[in-house]
């Protein structure tokens, strides 16, 4: 405005989606969900396999009651999604691609197209030790647990023995090693920080009394 004492010139406008918002599009496509603007939740589309055996109401939803975490108890159409920013995992560079995909698959990093739940890589750079996960589940707690299981597999590194490789569950995942001198110039997210955030989220969404 000419009457304003402060002048402003626009040099460049960079209008784009954030990385997190852009990651939701492939997740919606794979999970066969759509955003419900009324509730803010993801709901399965009528054509999704998980909806074929569900008795739905006229709007494609299932009668339900709200829970403490904002989801709907008994609503089979609701899906929760979680995406993490690209994080650095020092142990990731020690994996071969075959060992990597085998290790994360044993921890639940796969997508069940029949039930429209699962976890998959949104970004993976084995050489530089960077990764990102996309997870979808029926509740916020299950979504966090599924993502945390995949992160734990990368944080622990490749199995050191055949016996340990055959184990499909680890009750207490080990902490990832602290970044060394080779990562001094990296100022992004580390897997240790991601694990801390996921533990806090699990405590927040866990049912009372657990």
């Amino acid at each position: 405005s000419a009457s304003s004492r402060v002048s402003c010139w626009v040099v460049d406008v960079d209008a784009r989606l954030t990385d997190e918002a852009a990651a939701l599009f492939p997740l919606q496509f794979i999970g066969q969900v759509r955003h419900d603007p009324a509730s803010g939740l993801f709901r399965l589309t009528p054509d999704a396999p998980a909806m074929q055996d569900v008795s739905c109401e006229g709007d494609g939803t299932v009668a339900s009651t709200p829970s403490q975490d904002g989801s709907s108890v008994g609503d089979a159409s609701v899906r929760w999604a979680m995406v993490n920013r690209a994080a650095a995992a020092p142990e990731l560079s020690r994996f071969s691609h075959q060992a990597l995909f085998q290790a994360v698959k044993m921890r639940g990093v796969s997508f069940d197209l029949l039930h429209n739940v699962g976890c998959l890589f949104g970004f993976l750079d084995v050489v530089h030790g960077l990764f990102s996960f996309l997870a979808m589940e029926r509740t916020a707690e299950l979504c966090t647990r599924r993502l945390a299981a995949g992160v734990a597999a990368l944080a622990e590194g490749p199995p050191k023995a055949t016996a340990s490789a055959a184990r499909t569950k680890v009750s207490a995942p080990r902490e990832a090693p602290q970044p060394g001198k080779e990562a001094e110039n990296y100022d992004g997210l580390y897997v240790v920080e991601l694990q801390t955030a996921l533990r806090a989220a699990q405590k927040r969404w866990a049912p009372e009394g657990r």
Side-chain angles (χ1 to χ4, degrees):
S1 173
S3 61
S4 175
R5 294 181 298 175
V6 179
S7 298
C8 178
W9 289 268
V10 177
V11 177
D12 183 28
V13 177
D14 185 13
R16 62 181 179 85
L17 291 171
T18 61
D19 293 341
E20 291 77 8
L24 292 178
F25 286 101
L27 201 57
Q28 290 184 62
F29 174 74
I30 297 171
Q32 294 182 275
V33 295
R34 62 188 175 193
H35 180 253
D36 181 3
S39 62
L41 297 173
F42 278 135
R43 295 188 182 277
L44 293 173
T45 62
D47 296 331
M51 292 295 290
Q52 301 306 310
D53 298 329
V54 178
S55 177
C56 301
E57 307 214 354
D59 59 354
T61 63
V62 180
S64 58
T65 55
S67 64
Q68 293 181 352
D69 61 5
S71 63
S72 300
V73 177
D75 192 340
S77 68
V78 172
R79 289 294 183 272
W80 284 78
M82 181 172 286
V83 179
N84 72 274
R85 284 177 174 268
E91 295 293 310
L92 187 56
S93 59
R94 297 177 52 215
F95 278 101
S96 66
H97 283 85
Q98 180 179 359
L100 170 63
F101 289 114
Q102 181 180 3
V104 296
K105 186 176 181 179
M106 292 170 63
R107 292 297 189 89
V109 181
S110 61
F111 205 91
D112 186 345
L113 296 174
L114 183 62
H115 299 95
N116 300 100
V117 296
C119 182
L120 60 146
F121 282 105
F123 176 77
L124 178 63
D125 184 347
V126 176
V127 176
H128 297 94
L130 298 171
F131 74 95
S132 174
F133 280 128
L134 313 176
M136 179 171 287
E137 261 293 353
R138 295 179 177 85
T139 67
E141 183 192 10
L142 290 175
C143 195
T144 309
R145 287 168 56 186
R146 187 178 285 272
L147 186 63
V151 173
L154 299 186
E156 292 174 5
K160 298 180 179 179
T162 305
S164 61
R167 291 161 51 186
T168 59
K169 292 184 179 179
V170 176
S171 57
R174 300 190 303 271
E175 286 285 359
Q178 295 293 333
K181 293 183 178 180
E182 69 280 358
E184 288 181 353
N185 296 327
Y186 179 75
D187 60 353
L189 179 68
Y190 281 99
V191 67
V192 177
E193 299 167 318
L194 180 57
Q195 287 181 301
T196 301
L198 289 171
R199 279 197 296 269
Q202 286 180 289
K203 291 180 180 179
R204 174 185 176 186
W205 286 318
E208 295 183 3
R210 286 180 53 183

